[in-house]
Amino acid sequence: MKTMMNRTIKEIYGCEPIVSSEPLYPLQEWHNLLIEKTVDAITVADVARMLRQNELVDLALSKAIRFLQQDLFAGELFEGELLETLSEIDATILKPVADDLKIIVKNAAEKQLTHEWLYDGEEDEFQEIVDALTAKIV
């Protein structure tokens, strides 16, 4: 018998794979790969894409909070990508995790002071992301 920890997303949420006689688009292929993963196997890139695609949002928010608690600058394509993705989501979707996000935003102010930025202006860009997210969760 499978425990919750080793069940796939497909098994937990009853998701169906996308099947077509035509070649699948990359997003469809990603969907099929995602639903075969366990919750623990979901990556930062998966979470960012889940949020952008409005797919399994509750799960994505839960995972996003965990990733950001471990690394405020989490991202696959660039540092802060996950925080930026959250800052672009409708405020009503963020309400269930607003308290967690308030703590993460507070930590951002502290971590920002000691973070080694890669280029001029990166800190300002990060602050804009934090400000946008803050405006949505207040």
Side-chain angles (χ1 to χ4, degrees), residues 20-99:
S20 174
S21 58
E22 301 292 319
L24 295 179
Y25 292 105
L27 196 57
Q28 293 170 317
E29 290 175 355
W30 167 79
H31 167 86
N32 287 349
L33 291 172
L34 175 71
I35 65 173
E36 293 298 333
K37 292 183 177 187
T38 63
V39 172
D40 285 344
I42 295 173
T43 66
V44 170
D46 288 328
V47 171
R49 186 174 256 179
M50 289 164 73
L51 292 169
R52 287 191 301 266
Q53 297 301 320
N54 201 27
E55 189 165 337
L56 299 167
V57 174
D58 291 341
L59 173 59
L61 286 173
S62 167
K63 290 291 287 187
I65 294 300
R66 281 188 248 151
F67 283 132
L68 290 170
Q69 287 169 336
Q70 294 169 3
D71 178 10
L72 183 64
F73 302 97
E76 182 72 20
L77 300 176
F78 56 90
E79 286 189 330
E81 176 187 12
L82 193 51
L83 208 58
E84 181 178 73
T85 301
L86 286 169
S87 76
E88 295 169 348
I89 292 175
D90 186 85
T92 57
I93 293 171
L94 297 175
K95 276 190 183 209
V97 294
D99 289 340

Side-chain angles (χ1 to χ4, degrees), residues 44-45 64-86 104-118 122-127 129-130:
V44 170
I65 294 300
R66 281 188 248 151
F67 283 132
L68 290 170
Q69 287 169 336
Q70 294 169 3
D71 178 10
L72 183 64
F73 302 97
E76 182 72 20
L77 300 176
F78 56 90
E79 286 189 330
E81 176 187 12
L82 193 51
L83 208 58
E84 181 178 73
T85 301
L86 286 169
I104 288 167
V105 164
K106 183 179 177 221
N107 290 339
E110 296 166 12
K111 299 260 186 198
Q112 211 169 337
L113 299 173
T114 58
H115 187 70
E116 291 187 31
W117 301 103
L118 298 176
E122 185 180 27
E123 183 175 4
D124 294 335
E125 291 172 5
F126 185 79
Q127 185 60 52
I129 292 167
V130 170

